[in-house]
Amino acid sequence: VQLQASGGGLVQTGGSLRLSCAASGRIFSSSVMAWFRQAPGKEREFVALIRWSRESTYYADSVKGRFTISRDNHKNTLYLQMNSLKPEDTAVYYCAKGSRYNTDQHDYDYWGQGTQVTVSS
């Protein structure tokens, strides 16, 4: 499986962006897809995840109520709708595929290349 993330950019505080992650190859119904992010000088952190088959989702507290993760089975694509963006959301955002429903990045074995999101104040 290869993952291709896109949709990042520069946005003002309070603005919105939608990230996409196109997957080549089959995504099994048992798979879990997630978004992580890494800000300059910080470790990569969990943002949101979704179970591919049942759309059950889980969010980091820092983005809950502002970000929405979703997927389109037919297009084999993962999304992250980001609203009410804050400067602290500035980071490189990565999509990832794993098989366990958890937030530990070490349980994700396929990663996209990352897309930069910059929120100006």
Side-chain angles (χ1 to χ4, degrees):
V1 173
Q2 290 186 324
L3 304 176
Q4 180 75 33
S6 62
L10 174 64
V11 64
Q12 291 186 334
T13 297
S16 298
L17 281 174
R18 188 177 81 156
L19 305 184
S20 299
C21 176
S24 62
R26 184 176 176 182
I27 305 294
F28 291 97
S29 60
S30 59
S31 295
V32 175
M33 302 290 291
W35 290 96
F36 290 80
R37 66 186 181 185
Q38 187 167 21
K42 295 187 177 181
E43 293 188 354
R44 189 157 54 187
E45 65 175 4
F46 167 78
V47 175
L49 64 80
I50 187 168
R51 190 180 296 281
W52 198 252
S53 62
R54 288 180 281 174
E55 280 200 272
S56 55
T57 59
Y58 184 77
Y59 297 91
D61 288 342
S62 58
V63 307
K64 200 174 296 182
R66 300 188 298 123
F67 291 10
T68 302
I69 189 171
S70 62
R71 90 283 186 263
D72 185 324
N73 285 352
H74 297 294
K75 294 183 178 180
N76 244 23
T77 300
L78 176 74
Y79 301 101
L80 184 69
Q81 177 66 43
M82 305 186 296
N83 299 327
S84 302
L85 283 162
K86 305 175 181 179
E88 51 263 44
D89 294 318
T90 294
V92 177
Y93 283 71
Y94 299 89
C95 56
K97 173 187 168 299
S99 57
R100 298 183 65 181
Y101 193 81
N102 68 35
T103 63
D104 187 344
Q105 61 177 311
H106 298 100
D107 281 330
Y108 291 82
D109 42 11
Y110 295 94
W111 291 82
Q113 84 287 4
T115 184
Q116 176 71 47
V117 171
T118 303
V119 184
S120 63
S121 56

